[in-house]
Amino acid sequence: MAQIVLKEVVKRFGPHVAVKGVNLQVRDGEFLIMVGPSGCGKTTTLNMISGLERPTSGEIVIGGQMVNDLEPGERGLGMVFQDLALFPHLTVYENIAFGLRVKKVPEAELDRRVRAAAEAMHIAPLLAKRPAQCSGGESQRVALARTIVTNPSVFLMDEPLSSLDAKLRVDMRTELKRLHERLKSTFVYVTHDQAEAMTMADRIVVMSRGVVEQIGGPLDIYRKPATQFVAGFFGTPTMNFLSGEIEARDGGLAFASQSLREPLGDALPADLAGRRIVLGVRSEHVEVGRGKTPGRVQLIEPLGNESLVFFEFGGDAPLVAKVDAETRLRPGDNLTFGFNPAGYHVFDAQSGARLN
Ligand SMILES: Nc1ncnc2c1ncn2[C@@H]1O[C@H](COP(=O)(O)OP(=O)(O)OP(=O)(O)O)[C@@H](O)[C@H]1O
Ligand SMILES: [Mg+2]
């Protein structure tokens, strides 16, 4: 049983409140990813689970046991840190064996377990090398093997891929996901990279300024962001946001900004008329060439399989749309556009909370 529960967990550093009453349940065997911008409290939250930091108030329960007063070593957790923290003077073999030596595991069993962990992470040929002789990706695997070998029921990882180059990071995502499939242990993983969270997590916890903004599956979060912050954090390019007001019109509601007016369908309760809102529309729901609002191309960004068109119109902020890679549009060209109403995200202008 490796369920983790955080109840109203608060962490203060002097006057600064880094974590402001977080409630969270990590299910047994799930791959949970905490994501958010720098300084939002991810590492602090993870460190309170591991025992490296004590909560100022609130409870942390692991496998049914309240662990607030347990030392890190008494919590049965495995940790992988951002800087890997490999011992430079030890061989890869001894780095992996370290935790088992501390626990005085008999030599024959130790050897068998070190080799199995190295095999699992595809680093068996490196056992005699030292960390300085390994590439970034290899060192990454050594750090993982060193954790796997101790058989933890929970893996805690703090930005373990941040030191790798882009291609390797993407490869390691797949490997970590495979590892999780195989071990079926609970993974709690911290990153500021939304794409990493999206691709690996069973569930994502989005944090901002010490507060949990939303918890949900990757697709739920992408399709139904609970706040404007979450909407802007996930997805590339960043979601388009238009500021305006809800108007009652022809028996339905419409969105009115400085330079456009669009019906909002029946997804919103009628009492929202008059409300200041931010209308969110992802680039894939901006339809170039279909609607009748005129715009003017600023920039084309080819992505290979498709292209992004950045364009301006009226007095609102410029928009970005996804179009066919073969588009003939060029900077300075005129276009017309509309929105696919299925892609509307309506947020309260003041609180940022989702309204539809
Ligand atoms: N030991 C400390 N003393 C004082 N303030 C701290 C301490 N540790 C963290 N903080 C502050 O708490 C806040 C949260 O820090 P934390 O390290 O949890 O952020 P993070 O989300 O992990 O960010 P990053 O993505 O940059 O690693 C920050 O404002 C940070 O400056
Ligand atoms: Mg951090």
Side-chain angles (χ1 to χ4, degrees), residues 10-315:
V10 173
K11 180 66 184 180
R12 287 172 185 276
F13 294 107
H16 179 69
V17 190
V19 176
K20 301 173 184 161
V22 165
N23 288 292
L24 177 63
Q25 296 204 11
V26 189
R27 297 169 188 155
D28 186 29
E30 90 171 320
F31 199 148
L32 184 100
I33 299 193
M34 289 195 280
V35 68
S38 185
C40 72
K42 306 178 296 289
T43 295
T44 305
T45 305
L46 196 76
N47 287 349
M48 288 191 284
I49 298 174
S50 72
L52 293 175
E53 297 276 6
R54 301 223 159 177
T56 308
S57 63
E59 278 186 19
I60 296 175
V61 179
I62 301 177
Q65 189 191 7
M66 221 278 262
V67 299
N68 283 36
D69 298 320
L70 291 190
E71 294 299 319
E74 300 170 319
R75 299 188 184 196
L77 311 168
M79 286 179 255
V80 182
F81 298 101
Q82 176 171 347
D83 62 2
L84 307 183
L86 296 175
F87 301 112
H89 59 291
L90 297 181
T91 59
V92 166
Y93 184 102
E94 286 303 328
N95 264 286
I96 300 175
F98 189 81
L100 301 181
R101 292 220 188 278
V102 171
K103 287 190 192 157
K104 307 224 181 326
V105 171
E107 193 62 34
E109 184 191 339
L110 176 145
D111 186 64
R112 186 179 54 72
R113 284 169 65 177
V114 168
R115 289 182 193 283
E119 205 65 55
M121 292 319 299
H122 313 290
I123 48 169
L126 307 179
L127 286 171
K129 287 192 174 183
R130 283 179 206 282
Q133 299 167 305
C134 298
S135 72
E138 288 166 350
S139 302
Q140 192 62 57
R141 280 170 231 254
V142 177
L144 283 166
R146 186 178 54 173
T147 306
I148 296 169
V149 79
T150 59
N151 238 338
S153 51
V154 178
F155 277 77
L156 302 179
M157 299 186 233
D158 193 353
E159 311 237 10
L161 306 186
S162 56
S163 56
L164 305 183
D165 67 48
K167 163 92 170 73
L168 225 99
R169 283 179 77 122
V170 174
D171 291 348
M172 280 303 291
R173 280 184 206 164
T174 317
E175 289 215 24
L176 279 173
K177 210 167 165 168
R178 284 214 183 99
L179 182 69
H180 177 256
E181 286 292 318
R182 198 159 52 78
L183 299 177
K184 307 218 184 307
S185 4
T186 308
F187 279 33
V188 183
Y189 185 105
V190 161
T191 179
H192 61 266
D193 181 340
Q194 54 97 14
E196 219 167 274
M198 203 48 104
T199 48
M200 291 194 295
D202 292 324
R203 285 193 308 152
I204 296 174
V205 179
V206 190
M207 290 186 72
S208 155
R209 298 161 187 244
V211 172
V212 170
E213 293 265 329
Q214 188 171 7
I215 304 178
L219 289 184
D220 298 335
I221 283 182
Y222 187 82
R223 290 180 186 155
K224 232 170 176 199
T227 63
Q228 189 186 344
F229 172 83
V230 176
F233 193 77
F234 285 90
T236 313
T238 304
M239 185 185 280
N240 295 294
F241 292 122
L242 289 151
S243 294
E245 197 174 294
I246 297 184
E247 287 185 347
R249 201 167 165 247
D250 309 330
L253 296 179
F255 168 76
S257 75
Q258 197 169 334
S259 38
L260 61 79
R261 202 164 294 256
E262 294 281 336
L264 282 171
D266 50 10
L268 288 171
D271 63 0
L272 288 179
R275 186 84 77 105
R276 303 276 321 156
I277 62 158
V278 172
L279 181 67
V281 188
R282 291 201 191 280
S283 58
E284 57 264 40
H285 293 123
V286 180
E287 301 178 325
V288 168
R290 292 229 185 112
K292 46 187 188 321
T293 315
R296 200 174 123 92
V297 177
Q298 290 179 321
L299 199 70
I300 308 284
E301 249 179 51
L303 299 177
N305 57 342
E306 54 202 355
S307 289
L308 299 179
V309 180
F310 294 83
F311 61 93
E312 57 188 341
F313 71 103

